[in-house]
Amino acid sequence: DGTPDEVWAAIGTGAGISSWYVPHQLDDHEGGRALASFGPGPEMQIPGVVAAYDPPNRIVFTGDERDATLAFEWLVEARDGGSCIVRLVNTGFGTGDDWDAQYDGMADGWQLFLLNLQLHLRHFRGRHGRSMLPMGVLAGPREAAWHTLLAARGLPGSLSVGASDGAAPTVAT
């Protein structure tokens, strides 16, 4: 969902991509700096470069001069009805079984994050937040844990997947 400009705002800006992927710092020009933060610690800060920047049609992220083995090319194409086709071309070059496993594992990760992008554009287009993955372990059967979680948020026990509690998302600045 979204016009090319709206989709671009979600993938071609630091605030936009941080809302559905991982926190990003992004210089909005070709040759600019990109930094993806996958968690605390220096090993989780992944530096890169904006190798191509053509709003609202195409952006390419590559690794920086220390690790230029991956590239992520985003292509946005307008469709009828205020929607777009978004294509992600993920390329990489490396050797060994560990590299192959890491690269192949990106397919599963991208499925999750592309769903996040789709949901962000459908429900929170034009808004900025910060993506997060809250996790916890509750003792007991799954149904009891679900009701404990809902009760802690003050939500009805009948809440189901896709339902909304009506609360506005937190907006990060």
Side-chain angles (χ1 to χ4, degrees), residues 33-166:
R33 183 179 59 95
L35 180 68
S37 177
F38 285 87
E43 72 280 0
M44 300 302 285
Q45 310 310 305
I46 310 300
V49 173
V50 179
Y53 191 81
D54 179 23
N57 305 305
R58 179 175 179 253
I59 189 167
V60 178
F61 300 105
T62 62
D64 67 2
E65 63 279 352
R66 292 173 287 166
D67 182 18
T69 58
L70 288 172
F72 306 98
E73 178 179 25
W74 294 87
L75 302 162
V76 179
E77 181 182 332
R79 291 288 190 216
D80 292 336
S83 66
C84 291
I85 296 292
V86 176
R87 289 183 175 84
L88 169 61
V89 180
N90 185 157
T91 57
F93 301 94
T95 58
D97 291 341
D98 288 344
W99 166 256
D100 291 345
Q102 177 186 354
Y103 189 81
D104 290 344
M106 282 187 240
D108 292 332
W110 278 125
Q111 285 183 19
L112 169 68
F113 288 117
L114 290 172
L115 177 59
N116 285 351
L117 172 61
Q118 186 178 40
L119 292 171
H120 172 75
L121 288 166
R122 183 172 298 140
H123 300 291
F124 304 105
R125 188 178 329 150
R127 299 177 82 175
H128 296 132
R130 185 164 286 236
S131 178
M132 67 171 137
L133 183 58
M135 294 186 283
V137 177
L138 298 172
R142 177 183 282 196
E143 186 170 321
W146 177 245
H147 288 290
T148 299
L149 176 65
L150 292 177
R153 288 261 351 243
L155 298 171
S158 61
L159 189 65
S160 62
V161 173
S164 172
D165 67 357

Side-chain angles (χ1 to χ4, degrees), residues 18-34:
S18 295
S19 296
W20 60 269
Y21 185 36
V22 298
H24 267 69
Q25 295 174 17
L26 179 63
D27 295 336
D28 59 352
H29 59 84
E30 190 168 323
R33 183 179 59 95

